Amino acid sequence: MSERSIRILLAVSLALNVFVLGAAAGAGYIWQAQQGQRDRAGDQRGLRFAAAGLSPDQRKAFRQALRRGAAPVGCRHRSGSGRPRGGGAPDRG
């Protein structure tokens, strides 16, 4: 191999190594940032945490609204597919 081809090969190798190291560092940074978000969020998922900052009266209203909304869903769930027996569109009311 000539000296020129060796220099070209070394330049290409250096560029590839810099690219791979940059990609690994970027992936590690993104992973750490997402891990920090997960740590801050903790296990605060679901509707029980949605009412955590509400006053007692607002919590009561929130629970009542959830119960009113859950009743029709529960009825459809128990009956099967959620569709009327006639095969038409589900009730949107």
Side-chain angles (χ1 to χ4, degrees), residues 2-69:
S2 70
E3 185 179 331
R4 184 166 192 248
S5 61
I6 290 176
R7 284 185 183 202
I8 292 173
L9 187 61
L10 286 174
V12 170
S13 175
L14 179 66
L16 182 63
N17 285 327
V18 168
F19 175 76
V20 169
L21 288 175
Y29 175 77
I30 290 173
W31 181 76
Q32 284 292 336
Q34 288 176 345
Q35 185 69 28
Q37 289 174 351
R38 280 186 237 119
D39 290 344
R40 283 191 301 275
D43 289 331
Q44 294 186 3
R45 296 185 189 121
L47 291 174
R48 65 184 172 144
F49 292 104
L54 300 177
S55 69
D57 291 337
Q58 291 174 327
R59 285 184 194 171
K60 184 176 179 180
F62 181 69
R63 284 194 305 268
Q64 289 172 348
L66 286 176
R67 287 183 187 123
R68 282 193 305 271

